[in-house]
Amino acid sequence: MTILKSAELDEEVSAVGPKPNAFGQIDGRAGAAVLAQTPPAQAGHAHGAASQPPSRAKKLKEVAKTFLPDALFVSLLHHKCIGRYPNLLNPTTFNEKILQRNLHPDPRYIPLTDKLAVREYIAGKIGEQHLIPLISAPEEFTPEVFEALPEAFVMKANHGSTFVEIVRNKADTSFEKLKALADKWLTTEFYYVARERHYRTIEPRLFFEQLLLDRRGQIPADFKLHCFNGRPGQRPIMYLLVISDRFGDATHGDVFDVDWNRLDIQIGPYTRSPVPPPRPAHLQQILDVAARLVEDFDYVRVDLYAPDDKVYFGELTFTPGAGVLPFKPDSIDYEWGKLLA
């Protein structure tokens, strides 16, 4: 699931650039920009929070941005978020190379970025036991579909980031509320957020999954594994960003190596936990699943959930942060750039 919380770049980008979602973040996709960057008529909604109607001048500005050529748009966006203009002709940093992927995506990215279509690939690659159980993927969201849903579930859309609504108790929401949210998602052209071209041809679909909870009844941490140099039979280079309490009031992000050594790295705006999360008992299983999923790619971010002793697939992200993902220290942008072909 591509969703976030707790401050990822709180500054509004005046000329072009991502704006924070309802939680004041830019999805670290995590990352790209949030749906407010799309044309006003298509603007989406993150996690059901209310949005203010834009002024006429703001609408005109947003529409005008859609006419900027992709390369110019992403260059301005990178400058706003990273603090320098990117070298698109001879990219060296991680973010610059991700921008190149935005502009020239591998055709494989399209079905593997589609959060519904990718399920078939995942089932064949690592087995259906790693898929979050799918409740339904209706052609149309109707009152009958709503009534058939269980008491707890997650509503998602397949064609972008932040399209996630967690429902712990169906009695606390309504068909009308969810339908309004779903309609906003489905009319959002996510390509306009940060010009990630592989999103442009994904047909928007709504779907519902089982709500994952651990034995304590908590939503499990989100494991985002940045995986480099994938090859069959070989161990990739991996860094783990572990996002805890993602939907609560104490969201943190901690970066580890494969031996669970916490690194002094900040990805996006996630602050490190006061006390590092404990090493998962089944860490090796988490790493093994990610290694299988990166075998066919020189780089992909593999998102997993690992409640208790299980491992579930979240998504494959080929352009995390849309090429505008801040690192602290900034030297990581260059170090990871060397790892990415």
Side-chain angles (χ1 to χ4, degrees), residues 56-246:
R56 186 170 183 273
K58 195 180 189 88
K59 288 181 180 180
L60 290 174
K61 185 175 76 172
E62 295 299 329
V63 171
K65 292 175 191 176
T66 68
F67 291 99
L68 289 175
D70 288 353
L72 175 58
F73 183 95
V74 300
S75 294
L76 293 171
L77 185 59
H78 184 277
H79 179 262
K80 270 293 181 184
C81 297
I82 306 301
R84 54 180 173 268
Y85 288 105
N87 185 338
L88 296 179
L89 295 179
N90 185 29
T92 57
T93 69
F94 176 81
N95 276 306
E96 288 172 344
K97 292 181 178 182
I98 294 300
L99 289 182
Q100 286 284 42
R101 289 183 167 210
N102 291 359
L103 300 174
H104 307 286
D106 185 317
R108 295 177 298 173
Y109 296 173
I110 298 171
L112 299 183
T113 298
D114 183 325
K115 293 173 177 59
L116 273 174
V118 72
R119 292 175 64 91
E120 181 178 355
Y121 174 82
I122 296 302
K125 190 73 177 176
I126 58 174
E128 291 186 356
Q129 70 273 20
H130 294 293
L131 290 173
I132 299 173
L134 181 67
I135 298 171
S136 68
E139 292 291 335
E140 182 181 359
F141 187 32
T142 64
E144 291 74 22
V145 171
F146 176 75
E147 289 301 323
L149 292 170
E151 292 307 305
F153 57 87
V154 181
M155 183 174 80
K156 299 181 181 180
N158 67 322
H159 68 296
S161 177
T162 77
F163 299 138
V164 177
E165 179 76 358
I166 292 175
V167 176
R168 285 180 171 268
N169 186 348
K170 192 165 66 169
D172 294 334
T173 188
S174 67
F175 167 73
E176 290 75 18
K177 177 182 176 182
L178 294 183
K179 181 66 162 62
L181 178 56
D183 287 347
K184 289 181 179 181
W185 290 350
L186 297 177
T187 54
T188 296
E189 291 191 32
F190 197 75
Y191 153 74
Y192 282 108
V193 172
R195 307 299 173 92
E196 295 165 282
R197 289 178 173 173
H198 49 294
Y199 283 97
R200 188 163 47 183
T201 57
I202 298 175
E203 180 182 355
R205 288 283 305 278
L206 193 71
F207 64 103
F208 299 87
E209 287 182 342
Q210 177 182 309
L211 174 61
L212 290 183
L213 298 174
D214 62 21
R215 292 192 184 104
R216 302 171 301 157
Q218 302 296 314
I219 296 173
D222 192 352
F223 286 73
K224 297 182 178 296
L225 292 94
H226 292 266
C227 304
F228 299 88
N229 301 329
R231 291 181 181 82
Q234 295 187 21
R235 222 45 195 177
I237 298 170
M238 292 189 279
Y239 296 95
L240 296 81
L241 170 61
V242 181
I243 302 173
S244 54
D245 196 30
R246 191 170 187 177

